[in-house]
Amino acid sequence: MSWGTELWDQFDNLEKHTQWGIDILEKYIKFVKERTEIELNYAKQLRNLSKKYQPKKNSKEEEEYRYTACQAFLSTLNEMNDYAGQHEVISENMTSQITVELARYVQELKQERKSHFHDGRKAQQQIETCWKQLESSKRRFERDCREADRAQQYFEKMDADINVTKADVEKARQQAQIRHQMADDSKADYSSYLQKFNLEQHEYYHTHIPNIFQKIQEMEERRIVRIGESVKTYAELDRQVIPIIGKCLDGIVTAAESVDPKNDSQLVVEAYKSGFEPPGDIEFEDYTQPMKRTVSDNSLSNSRGDGKPELKFGGKSKGKLWPFIKKNKPPPPPPASASPSAVPNGPQSPKQQKEPLSHRFNEFMTSKPKIHCFRSLKRGGATPEDFSNLPPEQRRKKLQQKVDELNKEIQKEMDQRDAITKMKDVYLKNPQMGDPASLDHKLAEVSQNIEKLRLEAQKFEAWLAEVEGRLPARGEQSRRQSGLYDTQSAPAVNNCAQDRESPDGSYTEEQSQESEVKVLATDFDDEFDDEEPLPAIGTCKALYTFEGQNEGTISVVEGETLYVIEEDKGDGWTRIRRNEDEEGYVPTSYVEVYLDKNAKGAKTYI
């Protein structure tokens, strides 16, 4: 099957078909190019996604990735980054092995096609020229024959006419002979051109055109083969990265299988364990003996002692319960009249009726620790060097971490000292390399740094040993840091801590008890204070004047607008801020709150 013999008369159709083939090839190139762009965009989006969820350096997120579940997620992010790299490889390989190669081949194909059809048109022009020459010689031969016949007839007429002279007859005879000779010459030319045309035509349809069409057919078949090879390459390039992508997915599966819930649970214990002992049993309070009643109905003192104070507020006392005591003081009701004169001294915090013991116990068991009430007493305090503001277990971890850091710094300085010592020895052996005395100052400075770091490490090791129980308490310094009380004042402080009457830490017992609680609150604030101020979640407008006379409250004037930083938690108090240094609690019924809908954790209500 050959286009030269089968399609000898389809020159124009073959020209259209080959152009269509080139268009198909260019369309495929465009398809692959768009696929490479999609792969690049996909890889870029995967990388951005992986980067977006990577933990930020030196942030709290890095600590969270100690857990195996978070580590599995981090491994997933890293594997997805490698996964994106494979899609970039696909794009690069398709560009270099398909798009670029086919684009070059298309240019060559266009040149080859142009050359073949140029040869075909040249052969067509040649046969057309021969045809025109044949037609011209044929018309000339026909014209000469007609003129020869006309001259012959004229001669015969003249020869038959007796009135015509002999000279005229001879002239007519000569003219007829000339015309016959011209007709014979035209016939010879016509015959010659006819033979030439037939030869050219035979060459054209049996040699030139078949050869040209055969070359075009081979060109077209090479184009088809090239498209097939490109499609195969397209699939192979995808197949090449499948093993690596499989390894990425295997890495994700391995990370998922490494998730250890028990280990994560242990990490939670290590991160949040305070080291405190659970509270002791609640004493039975005999209401039949009024004279022997304790100061507070809500005492949670330890009943295990034998006539000794059950609860001491030494820095890490086992009976330390105040972080878990829920405030139960209801806010004052709004004044009957909106006039400021109706509340001359502002609402006070009245003492509430004693609740049944079973109710207090249930409340104690179900309530969550609320420690925000002490934060208003002291803001922005510096963290003690010995981390005495932390619970025992957390303090031990911080001290151990500090000791490890100091040991690393000491080792680094010692390595530097050894390097300087070796350099000095080299200078002593080879004075031309440098002056040994120039290193004495640096060596002394490094030694001094090592000594300072060692003293610092010993100090933290002593604190660590104290926490772990290897050393006795440090006398006055320990008492100062822990806020140790006299055994006679412990019950009073315990009662004050148990009978907190307002959300800010104010109490309803005697003034002496309040002063003791202030010391306790300061120590408590050191342990639970967070450095960052709370963000504003809305604004409020004071409906009545309120004079905050107790610790933690803030005075407001009717009509004043302030910022809300903590909404009512169900206890009737709202925490507000006037400026950076003035914040506290006011009764919720005294203000009209406008919460910001976009604030985190804000709830919209009317």
Side-chain angles (χ1 to χ4, degrees), residues 245-275:
I245 292 177
K247 290 182 179 180
C248 295
L249 299 178
D250 291 342
I252 296 175
V253 173
T254 302
E257 292 174 349
S258 67
V259 173
D260 186 357
K262 297 296 182 182
N263 182 71
D264 287 2
S265 299
Q266 182 61 32
L267 290 177
V268 173
V269 172
E270 295 176 359
Y272 299 111
K273 182 179 179 181
S274 65

Side-chain angles (χ1 to χ4, degrees), residues 42-313:
Y42 181 50
K44 182 179 179 181
Q45 291 177 3
L46 284 180
R47 289 191 184 277
N48 291 339
L49 181 65
S50 177
K51 182 179 179 181
K52 177 181 178 182
Y53 287 95
Q54 286 283 350
K56 297 179 178 60
K57 294 183 178 179
N58 302 324
S59 66
K60 186 178 179 181
E61 291 184 2
E62 281 192 333
E63 299 180 1
E64 296 175 353
Y65 281 86
R66 298 176 302 163
Y67 301 100
T68 57
C70 295
Q71 290 175 0
F73 177 50
L74 183 60
S75 298
T76 301
L77 296 178
N78 295 332
E79 295 295 347
M80 289 307 296
N81 201 41
D82 297 339
Y83 186 90
Q86 297 309 307
H87 285 278
E88 291 176 346
V89 170
I90 292 176
S91 176
E92 293 173 0
N93 290 340
M94 285 187 176
T95 300
S96 61
Q97 299 183 31
I98 297 180
T99 305
V100 175
E101 293 296 329
L102 286 184
R104 185 184 302 111
Y105 178 71
V106 164
Q107 296 301 322
E108 296 174 357
L109 191 65
K110 288 181 177 179
Q111 292 295 330
E112 184 180 359
R113 174 181 176 275
K114 181 179 179 181
S115 174
H116 293 326
F117 281 99
H118 176 74
D119 293 341
R121 290 191 181 90
K122 187 176 180 181
Q124 281 184 337
Q125 291 175 357
Q126 181 68 23
I127 195 67
E128 288 175 359
T129 301
C130 292
W131 171 257
K132 290 179 181 179
Q133 292 176 349
L134 177 61
E135 286 292 320
S136 177
S137 63
K138 181 180 177 181
R139 286 194 298 270
R140 186 168 57 252
F141 172 60
E142 182 182 6
R143 184 179 64 252
D144 290 343
C145 287
R146 285 197 303 268
E147 291 179 355
D149 290 341
R150 191 180 302 113
Q152 181 66 29
Q153 291 175 3
Y154 180 74
F155 167 71
E156 291 177 353
K157 180 180 179 183
M158 292 293 290
D159 187 42
D161 189 356
I162 59 175
N163 296 322
V164 178
T165 63
K166 186 176 181 181
D168 291 336
V169 173
E170 184 64 25
K171 185 177 179 182
R173 185 182 63 80
Q174 292 178 355
Q175 187 66 28
Q177 289 178 349
I178 292 172
R179 292 297 180 183
H180 280 290
Q181 184 62 37
M182 291 176 61
D184 292 339
D185 293 339
S186 298
K187 181 179 179 181
D189 292 340
Y190 173 65
S191 177
S192 174
Y193 280 114
L194 181 59
Q195 292 177 0
K196 181 179 178 181
F197 174 77
N198 288 333
L199 181 62
E200 290 289 340
Q201 181 175 258
H202 185 273
E203 289 289 333
Y204 176 79
Y205 287 113
H206 294 86
T207 303
H208 297 307
I209 289 298
N211 289 339
I212 293 173
F213 282 12
Q214 184 64 31
K215 292 178 181 179
I216 294 175
Q217 180 181 355
E218 293 174 358
M219 176 194 73
E220 186 68 8
E221 289 176 353
R222 288 198 306 273
R223 178 192 66 80
I224 296 172
V225 171
R226 193 62 178 268
I227 290 181
E229 292 175 350
S230 299
V231 172
K232 184 178 180 181
T233 304
Y234 178 89
E236 289 297 330
L237 293 177
D238 261 343
R239 194 190 305 274
Q240 288 174 3
V241 301
I242 288 178
I244 303 178
I245 292 177
K247 290 182 179 180
C248 295
L249 299 178
D250 291 342
I252 296 175
V253 173
T254 302
E257 292 174 349
S258 67
V259 173
D260 186 357
K262 297 296 182 182
N263 182 71
D264 287 2
S265 299
Q266 182 61 32
L267 290 177
V268 173
V269 172
E270 295 176 359
Y272 299 111
K273 182 179 179 181
S274 65
F276 293 137
E277 292 290 338
D281 296 338
I282 300 176
E283 287 185 349
F284 175 77
E285 300 184 20
D286 191 356
Y287 287 93
T288 61
Q289 300 178 11
M291 299 302 295
K292 295 182 180 180
R293 289 180 58 185
T294 57
V295 177
S296 172
D297 288 336
N298 299 327
S299 175
L300 295 177
S301 58
N302 191 346
S303 62
R304 301 175 188 175
D306 298 330
K308 296 181 181 180
E310 285 78 3
L311 179 63
K312 292 184 180 182
F313 293 101

Side-chain angles (χ1 to χ4, degrees), residues 1 14 37 43 53 83 135 146 162 175 241 251 264 324 326 328 338 390 433 443 449 462 468 473 526 558 573 599:
M1 184 271 297
L14 286 180
E37 293 174 356
Y53 287 95
Y83 186 90
E135 286 292 320
R146 285 197 303 268
I162 59 175
Q175 187 66 28
V241 301
D264 287 2
F324 311 103
K326 183 178 181 181
N328 50 27
L390 299 176
M433 297 184 65
L443 191 60
N449 291 339
E468 293 177 346
D526 287 338
E558 180 182 357
W573 294 88

Side-chain angles (χ1 to χ4, degrees), residues 322-327 362-372 500:
W322 58 89
F324 311 103
I325 299 173
K326 183 178 181 181
K327 59 190 175 205
N362 291 334
E363 184 180 88
F364 167 74
M365 295 301 293
T366 58
S367 63
K368 296 181 180 179
K370 292 188 178 181
I371 61 176
H372 62 272
R500 184 174 53 185

